[in-house]
Amino acid sequence: AQKITQTQPGMFVQEKEAVTLDCTYDTSDQSYGLFWYKQPSSGEMIFLIYQGSYDEQNATEGRYSLNFQKARKSANLVISASQLGDSAMYFCAMREGLGGSYIPTFGRGTSLIVHP
Amino acid sequence: ETGVTQTPRHLVMGMTNKKSLKCEQHLGHNAMYWYKQSAKKPLELMFVYNFKEQTENNSVPSRFSPECPNSSHLFLHLHTLQPEDSALYLCASSQDLGQGDNYGYTFGSGTRLTVV
């Protein structure tokens, strides 16, 4: 069974609008971490944001915020005020804690295209 | 320029060739990882090294042979590869095993490998 599910293969958004990229996860661990990465066409994976399972507040980093709904096991990425440079693949990942290997596993990714 | 450098960026090799991929980080990290990224598949973890010791081998065929001479360098030696091994090979590092939380795991730009 997939541990990380990203159901949107592709998303389109108008420049300056907000967009939400979906991510759901599956774990029986109480301690885990959730990550989002951006991968432009150059190939490099760029770390965007992290949410710990015990963090009570949603993580935010500049224009990125993580909508963490623990009961639903979802960790959606919200990008506000989209820019053309946001066009890229976006990957959700999870690191499981005590019961896991501490190595993150990744979803299949969502391709985001920002239109001018 | 990221903290993790991978060379070469592109590699085309025949099925009978022997080549090596190189990864270098000067971030003071102790854990290093090899991932394989094929089209339309999630990132696949291949190998993990922690303090130069291999801690994970994710059922990778023996035609892939990792080497970690020190905490700053990681190699992936390739021999008698198959066309299905064509992919983007990404190297990553973290402070310690599993300790990539608030700052994520730092990835290189990858080596785009084509086996002909």
Side-chain angles (χ1 to χ4, degrees):
Chain A
Q2 280 192 24
K3 287 188 178 271
I4 295 284
T5 302
Q6 294 180 254
T7 57
Q8 307 154 313
M11 290 285 286
F12 297 87
V13 67
Q14 200 75 26
E15 195 179 6
K16 300 181 185 175
E17 292 187 349
V19 63
T20 298
L21 307 183
D22 295 342
C23 173
T24 56
Y25 59 91
D26 181 27
T27 182
S28 55
D29 281 359
Q30 295 302 307
S31 174
Y32 53 90
L34 297 155
F35 306 78
W36 276 93
Y37 283 86
K38 171 185 178 182
Q39 187 179 40
S41 57
S42 59
E44 176 192 349
M45 295 280 281
I46 302 167
F47 168 70
L48 295 178
I49 197 166
Y50 167 79
Q51 178 87 40
S53 57
Y54 292 119
D55 294 341
E56 294 186 353
Q57 299 218 337
N58 287 343
T60 59
E61 288 288 346
R63 294 187 297 111
Y64 304 108
S65 60
L66 200 150
N67 184 357
F68 182 45
Q69 298 191 34
K70 199 169 182 177
R72 292 186 178 183
K73 292 189 176 178
S74 77
N76 298 339
L77 177 70
V78 180
I79 305 174
S80 63
S82 299
Q83 301 173 356
L84 296 178
D86 293 334
S87 295
M89 285 292 293
Y90 287 80
F91 292 92
C92 180
M94 175 176 65
R95 171 195 56 75
E96 291 172 282
L98 298 176
S101 67
Y102 293 94
I103 309 299
T105 55
F106 289 78
R108 292 177 179 269
T110 295
S111 173
L112 176 66
I113 296 176
V114 180
H115 288 300
Chain B
E1 185 69 37
T2 70
V4 177
T5 304
Q6 287 188 245
T7 53
R9 291 294 308 274
H10 300 273
L11 178 63
V12 179
M13 61 185 286
M15 289 189 282
T16 58
N17 291 159
K18 287 186 180 181
K19 297 285 184 183
S20 296
L21 310 185
K22 180 182 176 182
C23 176
E24 186 174 353
Q25 58 91 7
H26 295 289
L27 300 169
H29 289 172
N30 297 310
M32 296 186 77
Y33 313 78
W34 278 118
Y35 280 90
K36 175 183 178 182
Q37 186 178 26
S38 305
K40 302 183 180 179
K41 282 187 177 182
L43 263 71
E44 301 171 61
L45 179 69
M46 299 176 73
F47 301 104
V48 181
Y49 279 81
N50 196 35
F51 290 96
K52 303 187 297 179
E53 298 297 321
Q54 187 180 128
T55 58
E56 293 261 346
N57 177 339
N58 211 19
S59 304
V60 181
S62 59
R63 57 186 184 270
F64 295 92
S65 173
E67 179 190 1
C68 188
N70 53 60
S71 292
S72 299
H73 294 86
L74 185 65
F75 295 90
L76 188 62
H77 303 301
L78 316 170
H79 65 98
T80 58
L81 294 192
Q82 305 297 312
E84 60 264 28
D85 296 323
S86 298
L88 180 68
Y89 289 84
L90 288 162
C91 174
S93 70
S94 64
Q95 182 61 50
D96 292 294
L97 194 64
Q99 295 298 311
D101 296 350
N102 288 344
Y103 301 98
Y105 296 75
T106 305
F107 282 81
S109 297
T111 295
R112 174 92 40 205
L113 173 68
T114 304
V115 181
V116 296

